Amino acid sequence: MLEQGICLEGELPDGMPPEGRMRLLAEWNDTTTPFPEKCVHQLFEAVAQESPDAVAVLFRDESLSYGELNTRANQLAHTLMGMGVVPDTPVAIALERSPEMIVALLAVLKAGGAYVPLDPGYPPERLAYMLEDSGSRILITQEKLRHILPEPIQHLLCLDTDRDAVAVQPGENPDRPFTPEQLAYIIYTSGSTGKPKGCLISHRSVVRLVRNTNYLEVAPSDRFLQFAPLSFDAATFEIWGALLNGAGLHVFPPGIPSLEELGEFIGRRGITVLWLTAPLFHLMVDHQLDTLAGVRRLLAGGDVLSASPVRKFLRTLRPGQLLINGYGPTEGTTFSCCHPMDASTVIGDLVPIGRPISNTTVFILDERNRPSLPGVPGELHIGGAGLARGYLNRPELTAERFIPDPFSPVPGARLYRSGDLARHRSDGAIEFLGRMDHQVKIRGFRIELGEIEAALAAHGGVREAVVVARSEGDGEKRLVAYVVLVPELQPTQGELRAFLKRSLPDYMLPGAWVILPDLPLTPNGKIDRKALSELDSCSPTGGGVPPRDTLEEILLNLWSTLLRRTGIGVHDNFFDLGGHSLLATQLTSRLRDSLGMKISVRRIFESPTVAQLADHIRAIREGGVVGYETSGAGFIFPVSRDRELPLSFAQQRLWFLDQLEGPSSTYNIPVVLDISGELDSGALNRALSEIVRRHEVLRSCLVVRGGEPVQVIMPAELLILPVVDLRGSADPAAEADRLSHHEAVTPFNLAEDAPLRGRVLRRGESTW
């Protein structure tokens, strides 16, 4: 029996009626949608032909139209064809985020090849393995990156120094046969055997992700942010989601920004479609919520979304805006399930990963491959057009993870066993419950703990090693290594970390270490991971040198709070103690709040100890510079109040919306405080007045002068909160609620009102 393209025959689990099988297998997997049976570059070429002058890529002050991008990619494609690229030829790409990177991707596809992303920040040993395993004979890069790339490579193509040779090639589209089943890229993920594994993704899988989908509609007016590393498959969504739909792709400059820099970029560029890893989404909601106000579709994922920041973000959404929880392994081409949420969505303890996207099927099966009843956990299996071919050079692993699809009438159809534990809700939405093995997600990166353990075991001074991911109180995970050393050698933590850095990327390095005489075992002789989690990590390696002055004490407290560690000394390295790029961005925000100085994320990497960073800050102060350090842009000095003051970015957005829609309470932030006891209204007014005096933004209006909006700072005056006595009303509490609501929804006049107001409601003799 066939229904909705699903085979409904087979064994039913205990307690499942036939109509339940119909719902689980057919109704909840009715996702078939027509999408173009074309290759990625062919769809791009169609957009370029239709809209050659539309802006395709924007980077700093540079932009490329669709026509210009197509021509440059064609020239590079003809160069690659002359170097022997034919269908499915792997071509490695090691480039920073830039227009050249986009040109290279398109060129490889146009030549018929499959691009192999290499992150220039990876250890040379890991890059060398990926080059060898993929069989890449051609490497596209830049001259400045050559010294960090492995040698030798048969054909090295530097886009800057070889620019003239490429520019003389034909600018027409290459004329050679293509099929959607050809490889588009080979992307490497962590492998449990100790080596990364290459995942084979076809053009058809990419097209199914971004064209005619049920989770995202893209218009040419949309602006995508390209922020994910090319070696992270979120870049697949960012790049091709924009370029195959005629939208603009805004490429973030290379390097790790602070939260403020990222938020400023999103707002200044008017980004409308944005993808963030779950941890970065949590941070942006906490620290840069206003900068997300213009994002039409915000997709977050790569790890579990926490309910609290999701609720906080949903409260800010305007009509038409969506937050989308995107779930999917690399083997399913970026997304397999999505859960859209708007301001009316109610979130419980778990944020669902939703339903399968277009042309994707998702089944939750028990150990006998039978569908699990709603509410009953099982392993999540993925099918459909998004599945990878399998793993490069790993036929046994491919056969193990990609199994025959018993529910598909299509011959040869497969399911990918994700290893994720999940369950259906009664409404069909899926909830992610965790992993069934030792694979984890750290800041969106998929990690096989076995790969780290194998790398540790290769050190001659390590007898045994186990690595676990320990969750912190805020949901952040960190890797903890439990190590049994060879008694005669006794390598230090620093030596072990340095050894791992030769083969593993930074996100796979343990942030804490526990040295044990032996690993704890269960009664049946297996490693007792529960007992491991109860052991404390070892102390830092810097000797716990105490702070020498107040500045170092402040920095040390920030280190300890962010790293959740005690006993840190001023010479301990932030990153050796478990710090990473996301924590570094948080550190820059806290430094700004604590010291009034803007320290770049790059500076944290260059001065990773308290002592080094303190020396840098002292040098700034001793140089007589008052203000903030920026990353490469000099210093920001106080501005005279004797001239017209331009609006900040947040004020510009607020003013623009006010002009567009009229006065609105959308961005009001109401606060209601209950006070019991005697209230000294005079003291309250004086305290609030002092805050307003010290913070000019709380007494600034937005007015138009000379055709441009500017800030006008009003004089500091005593703020008087009117007192409304409700003791004579029939129901003082209800009347207080009514007046509070009225106050909360009353708009501000941006040109006349100070952006802070309040009133005191007296409900009883000693309640306010």
Side-chain angles (χ1 to χ4, degrees), residues 708-731:
E708 294 293 331
V710 296
Q711 298 184 58
V712 174
I713 303 172
M714 295 181 289
E717 298 177 349
L718 183 63
L719 179 67
I720 303 296
L721 300 189
V723 179
V724 182
D725 195 336
L726 304 178
R727 287 177 292 178
S729 62
D731 189 343

Side-chain angles (χ1 to χ4, degrees), residues 468 470 482 528-536:
V468 301
R470 180 180 293 177
Y482 299 87
D528 191 340
R529 293 180 178 268
K530 182 178 179 181
L532 286 175
S533 64
E534 297 171 357
L535 298 172
D536 292 330

Side-chain angles (χ1 to χ4, degrees), residues 95-115:
L95 294 167
E96 295 177 328
R97 286 190 300 264
S98 61
E100 288 73 24
M101 183 185 79
I102 308 302
V103 169
L105 299 180
L106 271 168
V108 172
L109 299 181
K110 284 170 171 282
Y115 58 86

Side-chain angles (χ1 to χ4, degrees), residues 36 47 90 94 133 156 176 193 240 265 330 388 449 551 588 650 701:
V47 175
D133 185 67
L156 188 67
R176 56 172 35 178
T193 62
W240 305 122
F265 186 94
T330 299
L449 297 177
L551 174 59
T588 61
C701 295

Side-chain angles (χ1 to χ4, degrees), residues 55-117:
V55 176
V57 177
L58 297 97
F59 178 77
R60 294 192 173 120
D61 297 328
E62 176 186 357
S63 67
L64 285 177
S65 69
Y66 272 88
E68 292 169 335
L69 177 57
N70 193 49
T71 298
R72 286 184 55 179
N74 286 338
Q75 291 172 329
L76 183 55
H78 285 288
T79 302
L80 293 171
M81 292 163 61
M83 299 169 71
V85 173
V86 296
D88 283 8
T89 299
V91 178
I93 294 179
L95 294 167
E96 295 177 328
R97 286 190 300 264
S98 61
E100 288 73 24
M101 183 185 79
I102 308 302
V103 169
L105 299 180
L106 271 168
V108 172
L109 299 181
K110 284 170 171 282
Y115 58 86
V116 183

